[in-house]
Amino acid sequence: MGQLDGKVAIVTGGGGGIGRAVAQALAREGAKVVVNGRTASNVEETVKLIKSAKGEAIGVAGDVSEQGVAERIVKAAVDRWGAVDVLVNNAAIGGPVAPLGKEDVAEWWKTQQINILGPFLMTRAAVAAMRKRPHSAGGAPRGKVIDVSSGAGRGWAGDLLPYRVSK
């Protein structure tokens, strides 16, 4: 038995890298995992890896910074398993790599949308679902929101200014 048996987790940015590793680790601990990422084929690969290890997972592709995607991801979790217990906000992009003043402003802003607006929208949608769960003895809703961050936000990150600002 795993520490997360019966829990439902959502992992954004789960199509590869850290997000894929987190999704697989949650599944190994018994969580049912909703894997999200912008690229459907990457999301499906993570789902396949989890299922091949005898875990439970579904994939929901989409950009978490776009209106309605967060609600669609949470709805998929609730429709399939009845709840959301854990949200891991991992989705992020590095954005344009350019010296200050040379970057593309639209690309810079898209980085902020994915890295800042995305976690906000996901948290808002997931917490709404978490509040519907039975409360703990103290009355607080059950559930956990985990925001993946980066050391790039604490110091010089060269020409990765949009990433640094958002993390």
Side-chain angles (χ1 to χ4, degrees), residues 11-97:
V11 180
T12 68
I18 293 169
R20 177 173 284 165
V22 168
Q24 290 176 294
L26 291 168
R28 277 193 303 275
E29 287 299 324
K32 299 165 183 156
V33 183
V34 178
V35 178
N36 161 261
R38 290 184 300 153
T39 306
S41 59
N42 293 344
V43 168
E44 286 310 312
E45 179 63 25
T46 301
V47 169
K48 233 188 269 183
L49 290 167
I50 290 170
K51 287 181 175 181
S52 71
K54 306 290 189 252
E56 289 187 63
I58 61 172
V60 181
D63 181 335
V64 294
S65 71
E66 293 178 3
Q67 193 67 35
V69 172
E71 290 80 6
R72 185 166 48 88
I73 296 166
V74 170
K75 182 178 183 327
V78 172
D79 287 352
R80 180 73 177 260
W81 294 303
V84 174
D85 299 295
V86 178
L87 167 64
V88 180
N89 281 315
N90 174 68
I93 61 171
V97 179

Side-chain angles (χ1 to χ4, degrees), residues 87-90 119-120 123 145-150 167:
L87 167 64
V88 180
N89 281 315
N90 174 68
F120 165 72
T123 299
V145 176
I146 301 163
D147 295 318
V148 176
S149 189
S150 167
K167 295 305 263 181

Side-chain angles (χ1 to χ4, degrees), residues 110-132:
K110 184 62 179 174
T111 304
Q112 305 314 302
Q113 289 174 309
I114 291 173
N115 298 1
I116 299 171
L117 180 61
F120 165 72
L121 295 173
M122 283 303 307
T123 299
R124 185 172 70 172
V127 168
M130 290 174 184
R131 285 185 172 142
K132 294 177 182 174

